[in-house]
């Protein structure tokens, strides 16, 4: 029973769309009707500003980490990796938002931060460098995922390698429209607000 509860809560935690919660509670705005319509931190940054975007990014990250901690909290035998995966799937397909969520970058980062801190740090460095050079959040996210996978190939076991591969492929698939826009030169870049 504890195992079932752990799994169920992992998905439900992942399903909490903080972009939707923050937008509606504090800005009276449903961001699904603005920008990309995506329930993630990047769209929140663009639609609601830096403060809201940062809150959503941190909250989405923490829910991934928290899901991985549930087996310890409930003293269950579920592998934290499974909990993390369920949180990621909950973020992408949230039951509370019509199964249309975000692209799982922050939540996946939270899961990987729990499982491979140094690998996640490597990905973060790649993300920042790519963002500085390209100004594309989408490209930075995809390359960060690939960097974590490469790190895992070298330093982690087969399970973490498989997970990081799954996450990097998932992030790329969820960014397929962004890839098309990057190729066309129409993808949004981050800009300094005056």
């Amino acid at each position: 029973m504890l195992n079932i509860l752990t799994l169920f809560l992992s998905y439900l935690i992942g399903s909490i769309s903080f972009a939707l919660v923050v937008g509606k509670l504090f800005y009276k705005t449903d961001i699904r009707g603005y920008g990309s319509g995506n329930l993630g931190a990047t769209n929140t940054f663009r639609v609601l500003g830096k403060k809201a975007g940062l809150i959503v990014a941190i909250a989405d990250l923490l829910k991934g980490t928290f899901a991985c901690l549930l087996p310890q909290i409930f003293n269950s035998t579920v592998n934290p990796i499974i909990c993390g995966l369920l949180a990621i799937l909950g973020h992408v397909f949230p039951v509370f938002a019509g199964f249309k969520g975000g692209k799982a970058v922050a939540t996946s980062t939270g899961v990987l931060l729990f499982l491979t801190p140094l690998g996640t740090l490597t990905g973060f460095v790649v993300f920042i460098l790519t963002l500085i050079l390209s100004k594309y959040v989408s490209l930075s996210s995809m390359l960060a995922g690939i960097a974590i996978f490469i790190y895992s190939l070298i330093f982690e076991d087969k399970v973490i390698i498989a997970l990081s591969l799954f996450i990097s492929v998932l992030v790329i698939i969820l960014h397929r429209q962004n890839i098309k826009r990057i190729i066309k030169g129409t993808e949004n870049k981050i800009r300094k607000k005056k």
Side-chain angles (χ1 to χ4, degrees), residues 40 57 59-60 72 74 102 148 161 172:
D60 281 346
Q72 294 180 34
F74 290 107
I148 295 173
I161 291 171
I172 290 170

Side-chain angles (χ1 to χ4, degrees), residues 112-152:
L112 290 167
L113 184 62
F114 177 85
L115 298 168
T116 173
L118 289 178
T120 305
L121 178 60
T122 301
F124 180 73
V125 170
V126 170
F127 177 90
I128 294 299
L129 290 176
T130 306
L131 191 61
I132 291 171
L133 294 172
S134 73
K135 303 297 188 293
Y136 289 128
V137 175
S138 54
L139 180 62
S140 303
S141 299
M142 290 184 282
L143 291 182
I146 293 170
I148 295 173
F149 170 62
I150 292 172
Y151 175 93
S152 299

Side-chain angles (χ1 to χ4, degrees), residues 14-32 37-45 47-48 52-53 55-57 59-60 63 91 97 100-102:
S15 287
I16 300 171
S17 297
F18 285 103
L20 192 59
V21 173
V22 170
K24 285 192 171 184
L25 279 183
F26 302 105
Y27 296 85
K28 308 301 180 188
T29 301
D30 186 337
I31 72 165
R32 291 176 293 186
N38 188 262
L39 285 176
T42 300
N43 197 38
T44 305
F45 270 108
V47 176
L48 302 178
I55 291 170
V56 170
D60 281 346
K63 73 183 182 184
H91 181 81
K100 294 180 180 179

Side-chain angles (χ1 to χ4, degrees), residues 103-105 108 141-142 166-175:
K103 296 179 180 176
V105 174
S108 296
S141 299
M142 290 184 282
F166 170 81
I167 288 174
S168 61
V169 170
L170 177 66
V171 168
I172 290 170
I173 290 172
L174 293 173
H175 282 85

